[in-house]
Amino acid sequence: MKKTYSEENYLKAIYHLGKTDNKVSPKAIADALENNPASVIDMLKKLQDKDLITYDKVQGAILSPAGEASALDIIRKHRLWEVFLVEKLQYGWDEVHDIAEQLEHIHDEQLAKKLDDFLGNPSVDPHGDPIPAQNGKMPVYANKRLSEAEENQLCKVGSVRDTSTPFLKYLKQLKVGLGSKIKVIEKMEFDQSMIISIDDGEPKTVSSKMTDNILVILD
Amino acid sequence: MKKTYSEENYLKAIYHLGKTDNKVSPKAIADALENNPASVIDMLKKLQDKDLITYDKVQGAILSPAGEASALDIIRKHRLWEVFLVEKLQYGWDEVHDIAEQLEHIHDEQLAKKLDDFLGNPSVDPHGDPIPAQNGKMPVYANKRLSEAEENQLCKVGSVRDTSTPFLKYLKQLKVGLGSKIKVIEKMEFDQSMIISIDDGEPKTVSSKMTDNILVILD
DNA sequence: ATATATAATTAGACATAACTAATTTATACG
DNA sequence: CGTATAAATTAGTTATGTCTAATTATATAT
């Protein structure tokens, strides 16, 4: 059953929100898609009619197995295209999101597989996010936030949870990339800011908003 | 000024029909897009309001300069993506049309140029159709093979009919690229090989297999 | 507990781009 | 020349997905 561009975007948003929020509300979806709650309610009804989600006021929106499989398929394509754009077309990792948002909706039976093979079956996208497998399973890779690391912990940057341009630019400025080694020097109880050393460099202070959005692999 | 998916398809259809028919009628467009004439009339009005075409019953639909530039941009993207799908993703030449129909609508300032560079600036798509240049001009119709040029003829390389790596490597070695000036010094009747001068350089002998695959514009 | 703010929902409207059915115009043929 | 046929056009409808404004429900604060 083929889905529209718009339906795919809703499924993707619900999937992502479901990872962080314990309840996916119309308002949250509206914020994510930059539209309004009335439009969201309409679409939730349609998605429920198609058995792609269940929705009620108390539980919020929950993907059905079919809905989750769809969402993962779209995320898979999105991330594969991001790899293509960065590795093959020389885009910066902060430039590819909007293009991948369009490319993820290209429909073809063989395309994802062929693209995957062409790219050498990458396991993560340029932001370090894991690429779902063909079977529709999301591999777990880096799942610990830097903000959760203890003092003196040594770790490696696995992925970023925010792919916005301002955030990625900030990382670039700090010279933090995938694989960068980070040592937690001190955690400030007061505001959860952290003093860290990046690749054995000068200690730098970063906010909790920043450390919340970096996923690391502990050493 | 951004165009919708649908507008782009109309502009493309009008461009193609304009090449073969002396008058582009609503019926012809409807047949091409597999929809009906009433829908076409509606859209022609919209395109005329946007100054992308002129339309009247007598003349039919005619692309404005802006409309033609748009059409060529879409065709350029379509054909570049076809090259990508065949050369990089190993699709068959007969499988790529429908996917390219989707990919041609991806919007990004830099994408066509980056894709073009990545593919080695091919001049024809997998079906041998010329790829419009980035300046929005369909390359001056280069439909004469170098092998057909007369002795002493001066000409310019317009496109290549073979995009295989060995052929392109050979061209690179000879320093032949798009726009290269070639003078035919001598044609060997025996095997149709040619002695040519490239950009007023040393005379070189090339095979008929080579000259068959270079399309030129005669001076 | 009640006022206030926030969220969810409904109703109605709108834009896009398609459709069908009816009507007008043009072309072709006997 | 008039009529049959085909094409162009108009009017009205539909589906998708959005919106605003009004209403109802829920949560928060004093």
Side-chain angles (χ1 to χ4, degrees):
Chain A
M1 199 192 294
K2 63 164 182 267
K3 282 121 212 143
T4 67
Y5 191 104
S6 200
E7 285 171 347
E8 291 186 347
N9 281 335
Y10 275 90
L11 293 174
K12 189 164 55 109
I14 293 167
Y15 179 91
H16 286 312
L17 290 168
K19 291 285 135 185
T20 47
D21 307 5
N22 56 333
K23 178 185 155 185
V24 180
S25 67
K27 165 112 171 66
I29 297 169
D31 288 348
L33 298 178
E34 293 180 301
N35 63 9
N36 71 53
S39 308
V40 173
I41 297 272
D42 286 347
M43 182 58 94
L44 292 183
K45 281 176 191 156
K46 287 176 198 163
L47 294 174
Q48 189 154 36
D49 287 347
K50 293 189 176 189
D51 289 320
L52 293 166
I53 66 165
T54 58
Y55 173 70
D56 67 82
K57 202 184 303 193
V58 182
Q59 300 284 313
I62 294 168
L63 293 173
S64 71
E68 178 159 322
S70 273
L72 285 169
D73 183 55
I74 299 153
I75 292 166
R76 170 170 156 81
K77 289 189 279 180
H78 181 102
R79 293 182 179 170
L80 286 171
W81 280 116
E82 285 199 344
V83 173
F84 170 73
L85 293 170
V86 169
E87 301 275 313
K88 304 297 183 185
L89 300 195
Q90 321 296 332
Y91 276 95
W93 77 341
D94 55 334
E95 301 176 305
V96 296
H97 186 78
D98 291 349
I99 313 173
E101 288 280 301
Q102 300 174 62
L103 286 165
E104 71 191 5
H105 301 291
I106 304 293
H107 287 118
D108 180 72
E109 267 311 305
Q110 306 174 69
L111 186 57
K113 169 114 182 53
K114 280 177 176 283
L115 186 59
D116 191 29
D117 288 344
F118 173 62
L119 296 170
N121 311 110
S123 54
V124 293
D125 77 7
H127 309 107
D129 296 315
I131 296 174
Q134 261 188 281
N135 59 21
K137 292 258 156 68
M138 178 73 86
V140 182
Y141 179 53
N143 57 357
K144 193 108 183 165
R145 295 178 187 202
L146 176 55
S147 54
E148 297 170 274
E150 303 298 324
E151 282 184 7
N152 289 316
Q153 177 70 58
L154 200 68
C155 52
K156 201 163 64 179
V157 175
S159 69
V160 290
R161 298 181 59 241
D162 180 349
T163 56
S164 70
T165 305
F167 182 63
L168 296 175
K169 273 192 176 157
Y170 182 34
L171 290 183
K172 201 177 221 171
Q173 194 185 305
L174 287 170
K175 292 189 176 149
V176 170
L178 296 190
S180 295
K181 277 179 191 165
I182 289 180
K183 183 171 184 179
V184 179
I185 296 173
E186 203 179 341
K187 281 175 87 166
M188 304 300 168
E189 274 216 66
F190 164 60
D191 62 356
Q192 301 300 315
S193 65
M194 250 185 198
I195 300 176
I196 61 174
S197 163
I198 299 151
D199 289 324
D200 304 316
E202 291 286 302
K204 280 175 183 160
T205 304
V206 290
S207 72
S208 68
K209 183 171 177 186
M210 157 77 175
T211 56
D212 262 356
N213 280 303
I214 294 181
L215 295 183
V216 296
I217 302 143
L218 304 185
D219 250 18
Chain B
M1 196 192 297
K2 64 165 183 269
K3 281 122 213 144
T4 67
Y5 191 103
S6 201
E7 285 171 347
E8 291 186 347
N9 281 335
Y10 274 90
L11 293 174
K12 189 164 55 109
I14 293 167
Y15 180 89
H16 286 312
L17 290 169
K19 291 283 135 185
T20 47
D21 307 4
N22 57 334
K23 178 185 157 184
V24 180
S25 67
K27 166 111 171 62
I29 297 170
D31 288 347
L33 298 177
E34 293 180 300
N35 64 10
N36 71 52
S39 309
V40 173
I41 296 272
D42 286 348
M43 182 57 96
L44 292 182
K45 281 176 191 158
K46 287 177 198 162
L47 294 174
Q48 188 155 37
D49 287 348
K50 293 190 177 189
D51 290 321
L52 293 166
I53 65 164
T54 58
Y55 172 70
D56 67 82
K57 201 184 302 193
V58 182
Q59 300 284 313
I62 295 168
L63 292 173
S64 72
E68 177 159 323
S70 273
L72 284 169
D73 183 56
I74 299 153
I75 292 166
R76 172 171 157 77
K77 288 189 281 180
H78 181 102
R79 293 183 178 170
L80 285 171
W81 280 116
E82 284 200 343
V83 173
F84 170 73
L85 293 170
V86 169
E87 301 275 315
K88 305 296 182 184
L89 299 196
Q90 322 295 332
Y91 276 96
W93 67 274
D94 54 334
E95 301 175 303
V96 295
H97 186 78
D98 291 349
I99 313 173
E101 287 280 300
Q102 300 174 62
L103 286 164
E104 71 191 4
H105 301 291
I106 304 293
H107 286 120
D108 180 71
E109 267 311 305
Q110 307 172 68
L111 186 57
K113 169 111 179 55
K114 280 176 176 283
L115 186 60
D116 190 29
D117 288 345
F118 174 61
L119 297 171
N121 311 110
S123 52
V124 292
D125 76 8
H127 311 104
D129 297 314
I131 297 172
Q134 56 180 125
N135 61 18
K137 295 254 157 75
M138 183 68 90
V140 183
Y141 210 79
N143 56 358
K144 195 109 182 161
R145 295 176 185 209
L146 177 55
S147 54
E148 297 171 274
E150 303 298 324
E151 284 186 3
N152 290 314
Q153 177 69 58
L154 201 67
C155 53
K156 204 161 62 178
V157 175
S159 66
V160 290
R161 296 199 59 80
D162 181 350
T163 57
S164 71
T165 307
F167 182 64
L168 294 174
K169 270 189 179 159
Y170 181 34
L171 289 183
K172 198 179 223 169
Q173 194 184 305
L174 288 170
K175 293 191 176 147
V176 169
L178 293 190
S180 295
K181 277 178 193 166
I182 289 181
K183 184 173 183 179
V184 180
I185 295 173
E186 203 178 340
K187 283 175 87 165
M188 303 300 168
E189 274 218 66
F190 165 60
D191 63 355
Q192 301 301 313
S193 68
M194 250 185 199
I195 301 176
I196 61 174
S197 162
I198 299 150
D199 289 326
D200 304 315
E202 291 287 302
K204 281 175 182 163
T205 303
V206 289
S207 72
S208 68
K209 183 172 179 184
M210 157 75 174
T211 57
D212 262 355
N213 279 303
I214 294 182
L215 296 183
V216 296
I217 301 141
L218 304 184
D219 250 18

